[in-house]
Amino acid sequence: MITLLIADDHPIVRDGLRGIFTGDAGFQVLGEAADGAEAVTLAERLRPDVVLMDLRMPGTDGVTAITELAKLGNPARVLVLTTYDTDSDVLPAIEAGATGYLLKDSPREDLFRAVRAAARGEAVLSPAVASRIIGQMRAPVREPLSQREIEVLGLVSRGCTNKEAAARLFISEATVKTHLLHAYAKLGVKDRAAAVAVAFERGLLGGR
């Protein structure tokens, strides 16, 4: 029998999942959590085989909970069960240590198969998520930003004009523009605001 912990902030979703798994003799639901922090606490106490983890929950989200479980060395396999399949959801969850990633519109039998596979330690991905990850792997690797380009973007993020950035770095305004254009190309953006946003997102400029 595979033991489960269900983590989702919507009671109706938790009830539905409990009903689905309770109706099959091969599974036992040990508990339910309404957010990531509670999921970590219950996973430590109940030691389930598999945690069905939603991602977007108030308070502690799913990725944070997955990361914490990994740090604690909890043996439970985490199977993400969510509505979202964007890069900003999928990749952080997989990187945090999720064994699988399934969408909530998956058929019941697919869900059962995914949980059984996750319990065996096998990676499980919905077709849409698998295609997204493959697409990421096939995408050309962008050249990293130079230290000077990061310095220029850092000044821009603090509201400096090209002229002010040039004065602070003791370079010409034309050189600042060149560094910015190179940064745009490497980040895959077309303007200053987007460049700064992507640089923050990638951790190139530290915290906001």
Side-chain angles (χ1 to χ4, degrees):
M1 180 177 290
I2 297 172
T3 56
L4 294 164
L5 171 65
I6 299 169
D8 196 292
D9 60 316
H10 294 101
I12 193 167
V13 173
R14 297 198 304 272
D15 289 346
L17 288 171
R18 176 181 282 275
I20 288 172
F21 286 102
T22 300
D24 189 295
F27 303 99
Q28 180 186 6
V29 178
L30 299 180
E32 300 174 15
D35 60 39
E38 188 178 10
V40 172
T41 299
L42 289 178
E44 281 291 276
R45 179 162 61 85
L46 301 174
R47 312 300 273 190
D49 297 316
V50 177
V51 179
L52 286 177
M53 184 79 75
D54 190 18
L55 287 185
R56 301 189 187 182
M57 296 181 284
T60 303
D61 62 24
V63 170
T64 302
I66 296 168
T67 302
E68 185 62 24
L69 287 172
K71 286 181 181 177
L72 291 169
N74 191 288
R77 309 291 186 177
V78 178
L79 176 60
V80 171
L81 187 62
T82 183
T83 308
Y84 308 97
D85 66 348
T86 63
D87 290 348
S88 60
D89 292 298
V90 175
L91 300 179
I94 299 300
E95 289 169 356
T99 300
Y101 199 109
L102 211 61
L103 300 181
K104 286 181 177 176
D105 61 359
S106 301
R108 177 187 305 218
E109 287 308 314
D110 286 357
L111 178 57
F112 283 175
R113 279 194 292 270
V115 171
R116 292 188 185 103
R120 294 191 297 268
E122 299 172 8
V124 184
L125 298 173
S126 71
V129 171
S131 296
R132 186 174 292 279
I133 291 177
I134 290 172
Q136 283 283 325
M137 293 174 64
R138 289 176 176 169
V141 177
R142 297 188 186 279
E143 183 182 351
L145 267 62
S146 69
Q147 187 58 43
R148 181 62 90 188
E149 288 159 359
I150 292 174
E151 289 172 349
V152 170
L153 275 182
L155 291 172
V156 168
S157 74
R158 293 194 287 275
C160 289
T161 63
N162 288 359
K163 184 176 182 179
E164 290 168 339
R168 293 198 186 192
L169 296 174
F170 302 102
I171 56 179
S172 70
E173 190 173 346
T175 301
V176 168
K177 290 180 180 178
T178 298
H179 284 314
L180 282 175
L181 289 174
H182 288 166
Y184 295 169
K186 292 177 180 179
L187 296 173
V189 298
K190 296 181 180 180
D191 57 49
R192 298 160 71 93
V196 169
V198 172
F200 270 120
E201 184 180 325
R202 296 187 184 180
L204 300 175
L205 301 181
R208 286 185 183 274

